[in-house]
Amino acid sequence: MRNVSLTNLDAAVPPSDLDAEKGVLGSMLLDPNTVDQVTRIIEDVDFHARENGILFRHMVEMRDAGEPSDGTTLSARLRAGGEFEAIGGTAYLAEVATAVPYAANAVHYATIVREKSQRRRLVSAGLDLIRNAHDDRATTSKAVEAAENAIAAATGQHAGVVDSKAGMVAAIDVIDAAGDRGRLVETGLRRYDAEYGGFGAGELVVLAARPGIGKSALALAIAEHIAARQPVLFASIEMSAAELNIRRLCMAAGVDSQRVRTGQLDAGDRRALIAAGNDLATSKLFILGGGEVGVGEIRREARRLAAKPEGLGLIVIDYLGLIAPEDPRIRRHEQIGAITRRLKITAGELATPILLLSQLNRESDKTEEPRLSHLRESGSIEQDADVAAFIHRQDQQSDEAELIVAKHRHGPLQRICLHWDGATTTFSEASAAREWEP
């Protein structure tokens, strides 16, 4: 292992293996069939030597066009494109052609090239982080998020097709996991869990309602149920951690939150709150809040919790409209689209469901009950969500409520009847679920 001092990082030789690069190209010249194998692993940009990247690109294009890719036709193509001298001419082509005696190790060479390419990108990301850390114009959170994005890009894998055999094995694994509920997280809503099994690993679940209808309360109840067994990350952007913890205490103790706000607690209230606090102290609920929160911060804390032996049971985000955009200069619907796509990717990467709260647009005030089209900037939200559900109450004074499951990739649409207790900001289940006709 080479040791590189921090004072000469810019001057250090980037990680590379030119012999492996020539091994890939030589294998491709010897056996054009290896082109199909190595292109699943690397691209032309993964080569450190510019001439090797040029040769790789031309041989792939020739293979795609059904042309022979021997030395003679490759030379003619390079000359026609004005790149023959750029790759080193006849001498370098001959060197590549004799780099390996046979093509059997093409995949091995390609894997080495890919690893070196990833390392170069990691070095670049590290250098950018150091430069941004010294730049007073760049905020710390933006610098860290840019570095995380660069690292994710550096370590990403190429997409590839899955044959029927591998696909069937993966499908059976998912079915087995569903059978033992190993990849499903029960929400504590009995009828929802009975119908759908809970939240699935990697699902993006959108829960929407008009302001003041109780979406934060229902999300917190679900989070508390799961946090009794597994860690839960609750990104509280709307409320501070102190406000959220007070709400948790009132919900658990059954104490009217208005009496807390006005300081009108009696001795019984205090005893109930203290007892609830002792119980909640053992909860595995982790709150991220206080100030501007972006997807980068949420991803960072989620990865940290997911690395624990117990894993991460759920991520709750309250709420979508308050998540700091990566680029505030772009239009709002584009910001929302970028956020929901990254959250869906995050759920998949961590194999953890994300419960994303959202508000409804003003059009919802004109109709009797919410619709998918009422989601703010609904196009990207509806597209990225695996589940979209609404909490519906006629008004803020009503104690009758419904959880309307308006979209579910893996089950029927449902209405689940709920009862709302405004004093303790809690929901309870009322009667059986029934099918919903949108």
Side-chain angles (χ1 to χ4, degrees):
M1 181 178 70
R2 292 183 303 168
N3 291 318
V4 180
S5 99
L6 291 176
T7 58
N8 65 350
L9 273 174
D10 283 303
V13 178
S16 61
D17 190 325
L18 299 183
D19 289 335
E21 293 186 8
K22 286 188 284 189
V24 171
L25 299 173
S27 299
M28 292 166 67
L29 279 174
L30 286 172
D31 182 0
N33 291 323
T34 60
V35 175
D36 301 329
Q37 299 171 355
V38 299
T39 50
R40 296 175 183 172
I41 303 170
I42 55 175
E43 301 173 295
D44 57 338
V45 294
D46 290 315
F47 288 85
H48 177 57
R50 176 173 175 268
E51 60 269 24
N52 292 338
I54 292 172
L55 288 172
F56 181 86
R57 173 170 52 82
H58 278 286
M59 283 192 274
V60 171
E61 290 174 354
M62 292 166 72
R63 174 69 170 176
D64 291 343
E67 302 172 4
S69 56
D70 56 74
T72 301
T73 54
L74 180 57
S75 295
R77 181 184 176 92
L78 291 165
R79 290 180 191 277
E83 293 182 296
F84 187 70
E85 297 303 327
I87 60 93
T90 303
Y92 191 69
L93 270 182
E95 186 178 335
V96 168
T98 58
V100 290
Y102 44 83
N105 294 325
V107 170
H108 172 68
Y109 296 135
T111 303
I112 294 174
V113 171
R114 175 63 177 169
E115 185 200 359
K116 297 299 182 182
S117 174
Q118 289 178 331
R119 288 180 179 273
R120 289 195 300 276
R121 293 174 190 174
L122 287 172
V123 169
S124 177
L127 289 172
D128 286 342
L129 178 58
I130 292 171
R131 294 188 187 100
N132 288 335
H134 286 284
D135 186 354
D136 293 336
R137 295 170 297 178
T139 65
T140 302
S141 61
K142 294 298 181 185
V144 172
E145 188 161 347
E148 286 183 334
N149 292 338
I151 291 170
T155 56
Q157 299 297 320
H158 294 293
V161 297
V162 177
D163 61 27
S164 290
K165 181 179 179 181
M168 290 303 101
V169 170
I172 294 298
D173 287 344
V174 172
I175 291 170
D176 287 342
D180 63 15
R181 299 192 174 235
R183 295 179 63 81
L184 291 169
V185 181
E186 292 188 348
T187 66
L189 297 171
R190 289 179 291 108
R191 294 184 180 90
Y192 186 94
D193 293 338
E195 186 64 55
Y196 305 109
F199 293 156
E203 280 186 347
L204 178 60
V205 181
V206 173
L207 177 64
R210 292 192 296 271
I213 298 300
K215 60 182 180 296
S216 298
L218 184 58
L220 186 55
I222 292 170
E224 292 285 16
H225 177 80
I226 297 170
R229 295 173 299 282
Q230 272 188 289
V232 171
L233 175 63
F234 198 114
S236 177
I237 309 173
E238 186 173 33
M239 290 182 282
S240 69
E243 290 173 321
L244 188 64
N245 279 320
I246 290 172
R247 174 173 282 199
R248 295 175 67 199
L249 282 170
C250 291
M251 291 172 65
V255 171
D256 189 333
S257 57
Q258 183 64 23
R259 295 208 299 274
V260 173
R261 284 191 293 270
T262 57
Q264 297 177 346
L265 298 174
D266 58 27
D269 291 333
R270 291 184 181 279
R271 284 194 297 271
L273 289 169
I274 290 172
N278 289 333
D279 290 338
L280 290 176
T282 63
S283 169
K284 298 172 183 176
L285 184 67
F286 296 82
I287 299 173
L288 171 64
E292 188 177 79
V293 175
V295 177
E297 288 88 346
I298 295 169
R299 284 169 56 89
R300 191 158 52 248
E301 293 301 326
R303 284 198 299 266
R304 183 178 64 81
L305 291 172
K308 294 178 177 290
E310 301 159 294
L312 181 60
L314 178 69
I315 302 167
V316 181
I317 303 172
D318 186 9
Y319 62 94
L320 173 60
L322 296 180
I323 298 176
E326 291 181 38
D327 186 353
R329 298 168 297 180
I330 63 177
R331 290 175 294 183
R332 183 58 182 165
H333 75 274
E334 293 175 337
Q335 294 175 7
I336 293 295
I339 289 169
T340 56
R341 280 192 298 275
R342 287 196 69 195
L343 291 176
K344 175 58 182 170
I345 291 169
T346 300
E349 288 176 344
L350 299 177
T352 300
I354 293 180
L355 178 57
L356 174 64
L357 307 192
S358 177
Q359 287 192 351
L360 299 174
N361 60 30
R362 292 179 181 176
E363 289 299 313
S364 64
D365 295 332
K366 302 176 184 178
T367 58
E368 207 165 298
E369 61 182 33
R371 292 281 188 267
L372 288 171
S373 59
H374 295 154
L375 288 167
R376 286 190 173 178
E377 293 86 23
S378 62
S380 61
I381 303 173
E382 184 180 347
Q383 174 182 313
D384 293 326
D386 298 287
V387 179
F390 304 112
I391 303 173
H392 177 56
R393 288 161 52 205
Q394 290 297 332
D395 52 58
Q396 292 190 12
Q397 283 69 49
S398 174
D399 58 3
E400 293 184 357
E402 285 183 315
L403 177 65
I404 301 174
V405 182
K407 175 187 177 182
H408 202 296
R409 293 194 196 276
H410 309 296
L413 307 184
Q414 293 280 321
R415 291 177 184 267
I416 298 173
C417 297
L418 303 172
H419 180 271
W420 168 251
D421 184 341
T424 59
T425 63
T426 55
F427 285 99
S428 57
E429 293 183 72
S431 58
R434 62 186 188 277
E435 290 189 6
W436 179 61
E437 292 294 335

